[in-house]
Amino acid sequence: MPGEKEDSVNEQIYDEDDQETPEIEQSLVSSGDNQSDGTRWKVAAILNNQQLREELMDYIELQMKAGPHPSCLVAVKQQFFGGQSPLARIPGEINSAPIIPIADMRGVDSSKYSKGERLMRCKLASLYRLVNLRGWNSTIKNHITARLSEDSMQSFLVNPYGLLYKEVTAGNLIKVDLEGRILDRGNTVLGVNQAGFSLHSAIYSARPDINCVIHIQTAETVAVSVLKKGFMQLTQDAVMGGVPCYLECEAAYLNSDTKEAIINSISDDCDIIFVRNHGLYACGPTLETAWSFAETAFIGCQQQMQMMKAGLDNLTYISEETITLVKNHMHADDINFGSEIMWEPGALEFEAEMRILDNKGFRTGYVYKAPAL
């Protein structure tokens, strides 16, 4: 009989000894009303079978490694395996803790934000994860901020003070005004480190063209900030790291009396601000450009500290003509040579980083310009 055959198949699929996964069933129930209850039950039964789950995951990973792969394949992996697959765990993390999804805004939580702000929240939260994976963060300290340019008033996104970088999501970023006053706290009860945001505020006030600021306070960047010679453009990475400028240490601890002086001391062409004894602040007109400057400047700092062991007299310096040549090659026309897509500076690299995060199960919420490579 057809009914008996179906029951037999269901018994083979669902083994009572298999570990139950209620989160999968809940995901299937909420995934849409167009599927029949019977179909949803069968899918849940398959995913609740450990052996079949492993075979399905092996197949998905094999197809993704072979590439190119459709976005639906990524979605399936993230929906059902994002927090449980080996790809969704960071090597070296304590107890291989599951990754907290970046794009965590759903329904009512996201409806109060414009589309542009939702996308910016996802990108900025993704940037926090990139910095965390690089090991550039310092527990709950330091900040990465972004200007919400579509607002009629000046507003910015900043991380809640108390969360590690790996805990920052699109939904818990806090919106503040230029003075650091909270306009929207997202889905967190935490506040903002006013002292930490003060220099970001001064940079945004001095440079209306800057829309993202990344603070990196590692051993290498602090060491370079201490040097009297500062950041030396000795390599291609250092040159691509942007134009450096310098502020004294007290700039990191601004008050109303000193803020105006700091604003006036930030030059119009500066991309990398070294605060003496305090590390660097990478700035850019877009989040992608700021990330590009931050990464290349950090590598330049690493290289400089290694090369200085040989002594300054033994180093070969790059001429001003060569520096100009390198910077010209960073122009958008060179980036887009032969490409069917127009890429802004830093966007090509940033999109590649987003693919890595999504393939690891971070669920960035990033909107790809080239979704099928």
Side-chain angles (χ1 to χ4, degrees):
M1 297 288 291
E4 294 178 355
K5 184 175 181 181
E6 183 175 356
D7 292 340
S8 176
V9 171
N10 291 338
E11 289 175 2
Q12 294 176 7
I13 291 176
Y14 190 83
D15 188 340
E16 62 182 1
D17 294 331
D18 288 330
Q19 183 178 1
E20 295 183 359
T21 53
E23 66 275 11
I24 291 176
E25 296 178 3
Q26 181 63 34
S27 175
L28 287 166
V29 170
S30 61
S31 62
D33 296 329
N34 294 331
Q35 296 175 314
S36 67
D37 292 339
T39 301
R40 285 202 297 268
W41 187 91
K42 290 177 183 178
V43 175
I46 291 173
L47 292 174
N48 279 327
N49 183 289
Q50 184 64 29
Q51 181 178 354
L52 291 176
R53 278 176 55 82
E54 291 176 356
E55 290 179 3
L56 179 58
M57 191 60 211
D58 289 342
Y59 174 77
I60 291 176
E61 291 182 3
L62 180 63
Q63 293 300 311
M64 293 184 69
K65 288 178 181 178
H69 49 269
S71 58
C72 60
L73 195 62
V74 179
V76 169
K77 185 176 79 68
Q78 291 180 358
Q79 180 75 4
F80 299 116
F81 304 95
Q84 303 173 37
S85 149
L87 287 180
R89 301 176 187 274
I90 303 175
E93 287 285 335
I94 299 175
N95 297 327
S96 296
I99 292 170
I100 300 172
I102 293 171
D104 63 338
M105 296 185 297
R106 297 290 186 273
V108 176
D109 289 339
S110 63
S111 61
K112 62 180 179 179
Y113 303 123
S114 66
K115 179 180 179 181
E117 180 171 341
R118 291 197 301 270
L119 295 177
M120 179 57 73
R121 283 176 169 271
C122 288
K123 285 205 295 185
L124 183 59
S126 298
L127 188 49
Y128 275 95
R129 304 303 183 90
L130 289 178
V131 171
N132 177 67
L133 290 174
R134 295 290 198 278
W136 296 349
N137 54 307
S138 179
T139 62
I140 64 172
K141 300 179 177 64
N142 301 340
H143 307 282
I144 308 170
T145 59
R147 189 199 304 264
L148 292 172
S149 57
E150 63 182 26
D151 282 2
S152 57
M153 62 180 296
Q154 292 267 29
S155 61
F156 310 86
L157 294 175
V158 63
N159 55 316
Y161 190 57
L163 294 184
L164 299 171
Y165 274 28
K166 64 182 177 181
E167 297 177 293
V168 174
T169 68
N172 62 35
L173 287 168
I174 298 177
K175 187 192 299 187
V176 298
D177 64 13
L178 197 57
E179 302 303 320
R181 292 183 290 260
I182 295 177
L183 303 175
D184 184 297
R185 64 174 61 254
N187 59 24
T188 181
V189 297
L190 298 174
V192 174
N193 181 358
Q194 293 284 348
F197 181 72
S198 61
L199 183 53
H200 291 248
S201 173
I203 294 172
Y204 288 123
S205 297
R207 296 280 301 279
D209 60 312
I210 288 176
N211 292 310
C212 181
V213 178
I214 305 170
H215 180 201
I216 302 178
Q217 191 176 2
T218 64
E220 296 89 346
T221 60
V222 172
V224 170
S225 73
V226 171
L227 297 174
K228 290 182 178 180
K229 283 187 171 292
F231 187 54
M232 303 165 65
Q233 295 182 308
L234 297 168
T235 65
Q236 175 178 290
D237 291 299
V239 173
M240 294 176 67
V243 177
C245 64
Y246 303 89
L247 298 175
E248 294 305 317
C249 183
E250 57 266 23
Y253 309 96
L254 292 180
N255 55 48
S256 56
D257 297 329
T258 59
K259 184 175 180 179
E260 194 63 33
I262 294 300
I263 291 174
N264 294 331
S265 64
I266 298 175
S267 62
D268 293 338
D269 62 343
C270 182
D271 304 308
I272 303 292
I273 301 173
F274 282 91
V275 178
R276 296 295 188 184
N277 311 86
H278 195 67
L280 68 80
Y281 290 74
C283 312
T286 65
L287 187 147
E288 293 87 345
T289 305
W291 168 248
S292 178
F293 284 146
E295 188 164 41
T296 50
F298 174 79
I299 295 172
C301 289
Q302 283 185 314
Q303 295 167 338
Q304 178 175 330
M305 297 311 298
Q306 287 292 322
M307 290 185 290
M308 287 185 67
K309 296 176 182 178
L312 294 178
D313 294 338
N314 293 319
L315 301 181
T316 301
Y317 295 85
I318 301 177
S319 67
E320 290 296 328
E321 292 78 10
T322 303
I323 290 177
T324 302
L325 181 63
V326 172
K327 289 186 178 297
N328 288 339
H329 275 283
M330 296 169 59
H331 193 270
D333 291 342
D334 293 309
I335 296 172
N336 292 301
F337 183 76
S339 174
E340 296 180 358
I341 300 174
M342 294 300 294
W343 300 93
E344 295 295 327
L348 196 59
E349 296 92 332
F350 190 81
E351 181 148 325
E353 298 284 6
M354 293 300 98
R355 287 197 300 272
I356 295 298
L357 290 184
D358 276 327
N359 286 334
K360 285 180 177 290
F362 281 83
R363 298 171 65 178
T364 64
Y366 178 78
V367 178
Y368 292 90
K369 293 183 70 174
L373 292 179

